[in-house]
Amino acid sequence: MRKEWDLNDPHALRKEQPARVGDQDPLIGPSSLQKFSGEDLDYGNRTRKQQQQQATWVVEQMMERQAQIDNEREMERCVALVLEGMDRWIATLLDRLFD
């Protein structure tokens, strides 16, 4: 009965070990045609990490751009204050000159 059950087991493929576990699998010989050049077993993890890294870079770039905009606004404010002070100073000099 056991032999027949092994042949008729609907979950037999699920229970078997895969033909290839990894690149360094000792069960794979040179003529097994299980390992090909250019094959990427870690494709899913690698692309997920790349997407996370790209998202991180985008956030960093947005933060850098916002910091640059804030810097430019602060510089413009400082220049405006200096120019306002110079205008007041020139106005007082002209008042003293023509009084």
Side-chain angles (χ1 to χ4, degrees):
M1 181 69 177
R2 177 74 180 152
K3 291 181 184 179
E4 289 179 18
W5 174 251
D6 288 342
L7 294 174
N8 297 321
D9 185 8
H11 303 291
L13 290 177
R14 291 184 196 157
K15 294 177 184 177
E16 287 181 7
Q17 183 178 5
R20 178 174 173 211
V21 178
D23 285 337
Q24 306 302 324
D25 192 355
L27 300 175
I28 298 175
S31 64
S32 66
L33 293 177
Q34 292 290 319
K35 183 177 177 183
F36 302 98
S37 63
E39 188 176 19
D40 190 5
L41 293 178
D42 201 32
Y43 175 77
N45 290 333
R46 185 176 46 80
T47 54
R48 191 175 320 107
K49 286 179 185 178
Q50 287 174 341
Q51 288 172 348
Q52 290 171 348
Q53 187 178 31
Q54 188 176 14
T56 303
W57 287 344
V58 168
V59 169
E60 287 175 1
Q61 287 176 349
M62 289 171 50
M63 290 172 53
E64 288 173 2
R65 179 66 180 141
Q66 188 60 44
Q68 183 181 8
I69 290 171
D70 293 344
N71 253 353
E72 290 173 359
R73 286 183 184 158
E74 181 65 22
M75 291 291 286
E76 289 173 2
R77 190 183 68 78
C78 289
V79 167
L81 286 174
V82 168
L83 290 176
E84 182 182 334
M86 288 177 66
D87 286 345
R88 276 189 266 138
W89 180 70
I90 290 172
T92 56
L93 284 178
L94 289 175
D95 283 346
R96 288 182 190 168
L97 185 64
F98 291 115
D99 279 342

